[in-house]
Amino acid sequence: MGNQVEKLTHLNYAEVPTSDPNGFDPEDDGPRIGVSYIFSNDDDDDQDENFDHFPADKHQVNHEEKPFDPRDELECAIYYREECVFERKTGAATHSAESLMNKCRPGDLLEFVATGQYPHWAVYVGDFQVVHLHRAEIKNNFLTDVSQGKQGRIVNSLYRYRALPPEVIVRNALDHVGSRDRELYWRNSECFAAWCRFGKREFKIGGEIRIGKQPYRLKLLFSEKKSHVLEFQSLEDVIMEKRRNDQIGKGAVMQELANHLNTTHEIKEENFLEINCP
């Protein structure tokens, strides 16, 4: 048999080559390489186990969920070469599903958030309904059902690509309702919703060839003076890493980086001592 390609992913920054959290590594000239998520599963498929079996009270909140804490949201930006293609600043307001319905227009992108969970994205198609990718299937549901009690917000402006006309966005979403499993071309709900709005192949699985240099950079902004940069070969890979950070939160990301950097420095010191031993 030919060579087998293993699943490439990671659980924490201890498995990722990184640099100083200030974005500076005294022994390197630039940011470090991130991880390719080839063959990884849809990262928000494991959320909302009871989504397909709505409770009698459709707006009942899952009490195991922690309320969304905007203070633990990590500010970040994605660059393709020198162009910023995505930017999230902290402090964006969130709303209940009922309030969100009065603000939406067909073609809007929605993001539902809860602490400790992957953000869930959907396309608003009108009549209080959204189309979204969930548990390896593209579905058409009422906005209030999809929210599952989470706070939501309109996120049209996060990606800086030019949007398609609203009727095209809606048609892109509705045309794929019912697609599932091997018929899917998107890794997660965010990639699907963004593709519907912008129509760019980079949001699809395998939309870019992972060869050569890493043209994408994910910049994590911890404060005005502290940042960290990772490089990736595809937009798909950057989104997977960004969503992982969204799920674990700012504090956990900072702790992972601190732990990894301490471990890296200890290894360098041990290697130095071994080399200089008589």
Side-chain angles (χ1 to χ4, degrees):
M1 294 180 65
N3 294 332
Q4 299 294 315
V5 180
E6 296 182 356
K7 175 180 177 181
L8 301 179
T9 184
H10 68 276
L11 297 178
N12 55 57
Y13 277 100
E15 302 173 33
V16 185
T18 62
S19 55
D20 187 274
N22 294 319
F24 174 76
D25 190 333
E27 297 187 11
D28 204 347
D29 296 328
R32 306 302 291 272
I33 298 173
V35 171
S36 292
Y37 288 84
I38 303 172
F39 307 138
S40 294
N41 294 327
D42 181 355
D43 52 23
D44 56 348
D45 256 0
D46 295 331
Q47 307 297 330
D48 302 334
E49 291 293 337
N50 298 319
F51 178 84
D52 294 316
H53 306 283
F54 300 125
D57 179 4
K58 294 182 179 180
H59 312 306
Q60 181 178 353
V61 177
N62 181 351
H63 295 289
E64 295 182 357
E65 293 177 0
K66 297 180 181 178
F68 176 65
D69 185 357
R71 295 172 299 177
D72 200 34
E73 187 170 36
L74 182 57
E75 189 171 325
C76 66
I78 298 173
Y79 293 86
Y80 177 72
R81 303 192 190 282
E82 300 304 319
E83 177 187 6
C84 181
V85 299
F86 174 99
E87 185 175 24
R88 181 195 294 281
K89 293 185 178 296
T90 57
T94 58
H95 309 276
S96 67
E98 291 77 7
S99 176
L100 201 58
M101 286 192 298
N102 298 322
K103 302 176 184 295
C104 293
R105 296 182 179 181
D108 282 348
L109 298 188
L110 307 181
E111 179 186 48
F112 298 100
V113 291
T115 296
Q117 295 192 17
Y118 290 99
H120 190 72
W121 286 48
V123 181
Y124 185 75
V125 295
D127 296 327
F128 309 123
Q129 298 184 57
V130 298
V131 172
H132 62 127
L133 171 58
H134 181 79
R135 303 185 73 78
E137 183 178 355
I138 296 176
K139 304 174 182 179
N140 186 358
N141 298 109
F142 283 106
L143 187 158
T144 49
D145 291 336
V146 174
S147 74
Q148 288 285 281
K150 299 175 185 175
Q151 293 286 298
R153 54 193 172 190
I154 299 172
V155 289
N156 294 338
S157 60
L158 291 186
Y159 286 98
R160 295 188 173 184
Y161 302 117
R162 177 177 296 180
L164 299 169
E167 62 273 15
V168 176
I169 300 170
V170 171
R171 185 170 67 246
N172 282 344
L174 291 174
D175 282 350
H176 289 86
V177 171
S179 298
R180 58 186 306 166
D181 300 325
R182 296 189 179 185
E183 299 172 336
L184 298 175
Y185 299 101
W186 305 273
R187 190 76 67 190
N188 51 58
S189 62
E190 180 174 341
C191 286
F192 170 69
W195 175 84
C196 289
R197 184 170 176 84
F198 304 107
K200 296 184 70 66
R201 61 178 173 79
E202 287 85 349
F203 289 108
K204 289 187 173 184
I205 295 174
E208 296 172 282
I209 300 176
R210 293 179 174 88
I211 59 174
K213 296 183 178 180
Q214 289 73 32
Y216 289 94
R217 288 180 293 133
L218 174 62
K219 185 174 184 179
L220 309 177
L221 303 169
F222 299 107
S223 68
E224 292 184 359
K225 296 183 179 180
K226 291 187 177 182
S227 64
H228 181 75
V229 177
L230 285 173
E231 291 186 341
F232 294 84
Q233 291 183 319
S234 73
L235 180 61
E236 181 186 3
D237 288 343
V238 185
I239 292 173
M240 293 288 283
E241 176 63 16
K242 176 183 70 67
R243 289 173 62 77
R244 191 193 75 91
N245 293 337
D246 290 339
Q247 188 249 340
I248 66 175
K250 179 179 179 179
V253 173
M254 293 182 70
Q255 187 60 54
E256 282 188 357
L257 284 170
N259 292 343
H260 174 59
L261 289 170
N262 289 336
T263 301
T264 302
H265 293 159
E266 290 174 1
I267 292 174
K268 287 181 179 179
E269 290 177 0
E270 290 177 1
N271 290 340
F272 179 79
L273 291 173
E274 290 177 1
I275 292 174
N276 290 277
C277 284

